[in-house]
Amino acid sequence: MKFLRIAVGGCVCTVAMACGPRNVPELLTVEAEVSEDITTVINVNWMTDIDAVSYVEYGANGSFTYQTPLEKTADTCHTASLMGIPEETEASYRVVSVVDGEEYVGETQTVTTGALPIDVPAITVEGDGNDRFMAVPVMGSTTAPLILSPEGEVVWYWLDDRGLEVFRVRLSVDGQSVLYNAASVSGDPAEDSELVRVKLDGSEETTIPVPLLAHDFVEHQDGTIGTIVVEYGDQVDEETGEYIRGDQIVEVAPDGTQSVIWSAWDCFDPEDFVLDSTGWTFANALDYDAEEQAYYLGTRNLSSIIKIDRQTGECLWVMGGDASTFTFGSGSEQFLHQHQFEVRDDTILVFDNEGAAGTVSRAIEYTYDEQTQQMDQIWSYTADPALYTFVLGDVARLEDEQTLVTWSVLGQIDRATTDGDVVWQANTAMGAAFGFNTVLDSLYAD
């Protein structure tokens, strides 16, 4: 008889194992409990008597809608955090172990999630035409990164009491944690701003101090994080007597090393633009194309979207505003003071805060050609009745060509068809605002 010491659920157990080779795993114990830190996350721990890779199938009310990622390494001690179940809901789950390509399914068990904290704002929903999870922060009396189910229910949350704002929430590329930025852009940028990483079950929070963080960040596949950071130049604004404020793209390597990839001064001269009290460029949105090794940066005060070479810092093109290298085609309306955008193969979708007549915000889409530097408007969406979001705002095109439009300061998300019909709508409690909206392809990776 051989004995093996295994840690499960924080305890070390000694397990008797049969001698001789075998390839049929036996589940020795399976334990599940609701996380003490996030009441909608369930931690499952289990042991197998031989090395196996495993995953957990689970879902609400008897279903098995979701599954955790298949473990990368065979072992006898296993753990997983189950995400996506709403508050006070019975979840069914079963362990699936894999040995030599064969799957062995354990018995079905159940566990019930807890209630949400009272500080988590209520979300109300109309319509049932949504099928995507969303990572989106709320701001107001409560600041909290959230993950919403397709039904608009809060299935993950983290209450942030730093006194800063949270604009972007992402699942980490390794699927083990949630990332968000705690920053300040409503007034002066914060010296104590941070990138925050929270384990899926809330059992650990780690931070990376990055002074003067702005609205947005992205994470590369190797764990490097690209961020927007406010940069003060050495020129003084004659009207305010303050140093001119621009922006940088700063990368944070997995070891914490920080390096400047790009500066607004690399491409522009503030003397060529009318300065604003919120700063000169006021960058507010960031995206990244891994294939082209290029950042896309939105600048509110320049009303421009810029394509930047990651290796050289060169501005490859500028779309919109006085510095635009693109020409808008006849009949095309230009965006103004835009925030989030989505660059696609040959189109770009923009949340246009102030380009429409009157106090109206909209989603607007253009075709564009990098060779001819021509762009033409092909679609726009305005809410009915019209809505105005003076800051933030987000857009995302889905596989069925419908569009998620986030009216941030109004606390509303629309899922609209190409004809402008709203098939699904979510609203926060009165006084709460949404930040940027990250549509999730998976519950365990961005």
Side-chain angles (χ1 to χ4, degrees):
M1 185 72 68
K2 183 168 66 174
F3 295 90
L4 182 68
R5 291 174 62 81
I6 304 175
V8 174
C11 300
V12 177
C13 303
T14 301
V15 179
M17 299 182 63
C19 296
R22 58 175 299 182
N23 61 0
V24 178
E26 179 182 349
L27 286 173
L28 301 174
T29 183
V30 181
E31 301 174 350
E33 59 182 2
V34 174
S35 166
E36 295 181 356
D37 301 288
I38 301 176
T39 57
T40 52
V41 175
I42 300 164
N43 288 323
V44 181
N45 301 283
W46 67 98
M47 295 184 294
T48 50
D49 63 337
I50 62 174
D51 286 343
V53 291
S54 303
Y55 64 92
V56 181
E57 294 180 327
Y58 66 99
N61 303 315
S63 69
F64 293 95
T65 309
Y66 313 116
Q67 68 178 50
T68 61
L70 180 67
E71 296 170 320
K72 296 181 180 179
T73 305
D75 204 340
T76 54
C77 189
H78 313 265
T79 185
S81 295
L82 311 187
M83 298 173 60
I85 307 298
E87 67 169 333
E88 299 181 314
T89 299
E90 182 180 82
S92 302
Y93 68 95
R94 61 193 178 196
V95 172
V96 181
S97 298
V98 184
V99 177
D100 296 333
E102 293 290 332
E103 292 192 343
Y104 302 88
V105 181
E107 294 182 359
T108 297
Q109 302 185 57
T110 62
V111 63
T112 300
T113 55
L116 292 172
I118 60 173
D119 291 337
V120 175
I123 308 291
T124 58
V125 170
E126 295 183 10
D128 56 3
N130 189 42
D131 58 357
R132 303 301 295 273
F133 284 87
M134 294 168 284
V136 59
V138 290
M139 294 171 284
S141 58
T142 296
T143 298
L146 304 178
I147 295 178
L148 304 183
S149 73
E151 294 74 28
E153 298 172 295
V154 175
V155 295
W156 192 94
Y157 62 89
W158 190 251
L159 301 177
D160 189 289
D161 59 1
R162 289 172 173 78
L164 298 174
E165 298 157 308
V166 176
F167 302 101
R168 172 69 75 183
V169 184
R170 297 186 185 275
L171 287 171
S172 63
V173 295
D174 63 5
Q176 300 300 307
S177 58
V178 173
L179 298 172
Y180 67 91
N181 55 349
S184 174
V185 299
S186 298
D188 290 331
E191 290 284 351
D192 59 349
S193 56
E194 299 177 309
L195 294 169
V196 184
R197 183 185 298 270
V198 181
K199 288 190 67 173
L200 296 182
D201 67 353
S203 61
E204 182 181 358
E205 177 190 280
T206 58
T207 62
I208 304 172
V210 184
L212 310 183
L213 272 178
H215 297 67
D216 209 358
F217 71 93
V218 296
E219 186 183 20
H220 300 278
Q221 285 300 312
D222 66 354
T224 297
I225 300 174
T227 69
I228 305 174
V229 174
V230 172
E231 176 187 19
Y232 289 96
D234 55 10
Q235 299 167 273
V236 175
D237 183 347
E238 294 181 357
E239 291 189 10
T240 65
E242 298 178 352
Y243 287 105
I244 294 174
R245 194 167 82 191
D247 295 281
Q248 298 175 325
I249 297 175
V250 173
E251 288 189 349
V252 182
D255 66 1
T257 303
Q258 299 183 22
S259 55
V260 176
I261 300 300
W262 176 87
S263 167
W265 276 268
D266 292 341
C267 294
F268 308 109
D269 188 333
E271 293 186 1
D272 296 332
F273 301 91
V274 176
L275 301 183
D276 188 281
S277 60
T278 57
W280 160 41
T281 48
F282 202 71
N284 58 16
L286 186 67
D287 204 351
Y288 181 70
D289 186 320
E291 183 176 341
E292 296 202 27
Q293 293 280 293
Y295 282 106
Y296 295 97
L297 179 74
T299 57
R300 184 264 183 197
N301 287 358
L302 303 186
S303 293
S304 299
I305 297 168
I306 308 159
K307 184 177 182 179
I308 299 164
D309 187 297
R310 181 188 181 191
Q311 303 302 320
T312 66
E314 176 188 359
C315 283
L316 301 175
W317 49 249
V318 180
M319 185 180 290
D322 292 340
S324 184
T325 61
F326 277 81
T327 300
F328 288 82
S330 176
S332 297
E333 298 178 297
Q334 300 189 34
F335 51 82
L336 178 68
H337 295 160
Q338 83 294 335
H339 279 69
Q340 280 302 325
F341 57 87
E342 184 176 273
V343 178
R344 300 166 63 79
D345 289 339
D346 57 1
T347 66
I348 184 167
L349 186 64
V350 182
F351 188 92
D352 179 17
N353 293 73
E354 298 183 326
T359 52
V360 176
S361 299
R362 62 184 172 180
I364 192 166
E365 185 177 15
Y366 307 88
T367 59
Y368 72 96
D369 187 318
E370 289 189 318
Q371 300 303 315
T372 64
Q373 300 277 284
Q374 173 82 17
M375 56 192 301
D376 293 280
Q377 180 182 334
I378 57 172
W379 181 79
S380 67
Y381 166 70
T382 303
D384 184 17
L387 301 175
Y388 174 58
T389 298
F390 63 94
V391 293
L392 301 176
D394 206 343
V395 286
R397 177 62 47 77
L398 306 176
E399 289 84 353
D400 59 3
E401 295 305 310
Q402 294 181 359
T403 305
L404 280 172
V405 182
T406 302
W407 312 92
S408 290
V409 298
L410 303 175
Q412 180 169 310
I413 302 172
D414 291 347
R415 180 162 176 159
T417 67
T418 54
D419 294 329
D421 297 324
V422 177
V423 298
W424 180 89
Q425 185 179 94
N427 288 89
T428 61
M430 185 68 68
F434 284 125
F436 295 145
N437 189 357
T438 306
V439 180
L440 303 179
D441 293 326
S442 165
L443 281 169
Y444 293 93
D446 186 0

